[in-house]
Amino acid sequence: MIYHVLGKTGLRVSALGFGASPLGNEFGPVDAAEGVRAVHCAIEQGINYFDVAPYYGRGLAETRLGEALAGHRQEVILATKAGRYDKEWPEGFDYSAKRIVRSVEESLRRLRTDCIDVYQVHDIEFAHREQILGETLPAMFRLKEQGKVRFVGITGYPLQLLRAIAEAANVDTILSYCRYDLLDTSLDEVLTPFARARGIGLINASPLHMRLLTDKGAPEWHPAPKRVVAAAQEAARYCRERGVDIADLALQFALQHSYVGTTLVGMSKVEHVQRNLSAVGKPPDPELLAAVRRILAPAANIAWQEGLPENYDPYAVPKGL
Ligand code: NAD
């Protein structure tokens, strides 16, 4: 395994991180026992960063991860989130200080631990920025002072909002998803130079573009515009015809990033853990990469509208169009 320092947190994190949203059945029902085996296999092979949230399976992913980590807590860096609890806005969201304080206790119980290593505001684009800055983050910083969490971060999709919040508040980490992979590299235009200059830990999630860059393809809820889905299907076919799984290429590409501390892939099967581990330290074939990026070029860097309209990236397009 390759390890990187996650910005000013000083945490030494595995280049490949374990995304636990599939453990909450977010991509379809999973075999719970296989999920536990996947977590154990990951730890044995040197993966030490685990990311989860109360939202994933409405507590199920945290519960399953907590079970799997029993006896292994000291070997891993555990990241979870607060603020988002369900899909629909506004019922599924609560960024109030009161809810954050309750949320951490719920997460600690489900995860069977007494401290969260990285505690993050989940999907900041669903809140007004005044609340994130004036209420949510201050509540998290108090939890840090109390020792219930070690580091505080933000997560979300619109890059400009992530940057604006990180400019205004002293966060330790930023998690961005679907913004540095074969389809979208705009992370490097908006966030990477800023995060690097400030020493903020940068976490890149969903390098498979939430399953778009796999042979199985996107789940039906996927928000990407139709032309992006079509281009990804064409690229997957191109790879398949050459005996390559596009997921391997996608992960090899994302793992080459020069500043990201850990790249989070959603996993619930031993087979995927082993497959994804084989991408660590293996650069993509330059010719294949160039050909695939040519196929994806017409669909590159197309972001969708996510969260409250006031928080959209200015160039984002409506979901699923
Ligand atoms: P992803 O791009 O990692 O894709 C995950 C899907 O791909 C799952 O269905 C998984 O079973 C499948 N998969 C994994 N390895 C594969 C392989 N080798 N071949 C074929 N299929 C494979 O998307 P994700 O799970 O959404 O993102 C990774 C993690 O990042 C999440 O689990 C979560 O922990 C985190 N995340 C956080 C946020 C946020 O905080 N806002 C948003 C997105 C993701």
Side-chain angles (χ1 to χ4, degrees):
M1 179 55 66
I2 292 171
Y3 296 88
H4 300 133
V5 175
L6 184 63
K8 62 189 170 187
T9 68
L11 295 170
R12 197 170 154 271
V13 297
S14 49
L16 177 65
F18 193 107
S21 73
L23 292 182
N25 298 338
E26 290 293 331
F27 289 84
V30 302
D31 174 346
E34 175 66 4
V36 172
R37 284 193 291 273
V39 169
H40 291 169
C41 171
I43 295 172
E44 276 159 27
Q45 300 296 318
I47 293 179
N48 73 353
Y49 195 92
F50 287 76
D51 177 85
V52 69
Y55 171 52
Y56 304 149
R58 320 307 173 251
L60 183 61
E62 282 192 333
T63 301
R64 285 180 169 166
L65 185 61
E67 277 167 24
L69 289 180
H72 296 280
R73 176 66 185 94
Q74 299 314 315
E75 297 159 59
V76 303
I77 294 161
L78 192 49
T80 191
K81 316 184 187 101
R84 178 167 202 174
Y85 303 95
D86 216 328
K87 225 177 185 59
E88 300 308 323
W89 194 88
E91 320 75 87
F93 299 80
D94 189 345
Y95 296 93
S96 67
K98 206 170 149 194
R99 186 70 184 95
I100 300 300
V101 168
R102 187 151 61 89
S103 202
V104 79
E105 298 300 336
E106 291 166 358
S107 291
L108 289 171
R109 199 181 57 247
R110 285 193 290 255
L111 289 165
R112 305 182 185 194
T113 186
D114 56 5
C115 180
I116 305 292
D117 295 303
V118 181
Y119 202 47
Q120 304 154 108
V121 187
H122 197 173
D123 289 341
I124 55 171
E125 62 270 28
F126 287 92
H128 300 294
R129 50 185 87 190
E130 299 73 28
Q131 187 180 25
I132 299 289
L133 290 172
E135 184 175 359
T136 322
L137 281 170
M140 288 200 173
F141 291 135
R142 282 194 293 278
L143 294 174
K144 188 174 170 179
E145 278 163 25
Q146 292 163 13
K148 298 212 173 192
V149 310
R150 293 174 67 202
F151 300 103
V152 169
I154 51 175
T155 82
Y157 183 72
L159 291 171
Q160 297 201 0
L161 177 70
L162 287 168
R163 184 181 161 140
I165 297 292
E167 271 173 347
N170 192 20
V171 297
D172 300 306
T173 62
I174 303 175
L175 181 158
S176 142
Y177 69 97
C178 291
R179 305 311 286 270
Y180 189 82
D181 58 34
L182 289 176
L183 274 163
D184 192 331
T185 53
S186 40
L187 183 75
D188 280 0
E189 284 157 35
V190 185
L191 217 46
T192 308
F194 164 77
R196 196 194 289 267
R198 293 267 185 113
I200 299 172
L202 193 56
I203 299 156
N204 179 30
S206 314
L208 309 179
H209 221 76
M210 301 192 299
R211 220 175 68 192
L212 211 54
L213 297 167
T214 69
D215 275 337
K216 195 167 180 184
E220 48 76 31
W221 49 259
H222 204 292
K226 289 195 173 47
R227 61 196 149 132
V228 177
V229 177
Q233 283 168 344
E234 196 190 329
R237 191 166 48 244
Y238 180 89
C239 288
R240 209 163 37 244
E241 283 166 8
R242 281 150 189 82
V244 175
D245 181 340
I246 193 167
D248 292 342
L249 184 76
L251 193 50
Q252 289 162 8
F253 172 79
L255 286 167
Q256 296 293 301
H257 196 279
S258 64
Y259 184 68
V260 163
T262 186
T263 297
L264 299 177
V265 189
M267 295 184 274
S268 59
K269 294 180 187 162
V270 171
E271 178 203 336
H272 283 164
V273 173
Q274 281 167 343
R275 185 97 198 185
N276 295 337
L277 280 162
S278 67
V280 179
K282 188 170 178 215
D285 174 324
E287 273 174 37
L288 180 66
L289 178 62
V292 166
R293 297 207 73 195
R294 268 196 302 277
I295 294 170
L296 295 175
N301 294 356
I302 298 176
W304 60 83
Q305 296 171 340
E306 188 70 48
L308 309 184
E310 71 201 42
N311 292 328
Y312 292 166
D313 273 329
Y315 46 84
V317 302
K319 281 185 182 179
L321 270 191

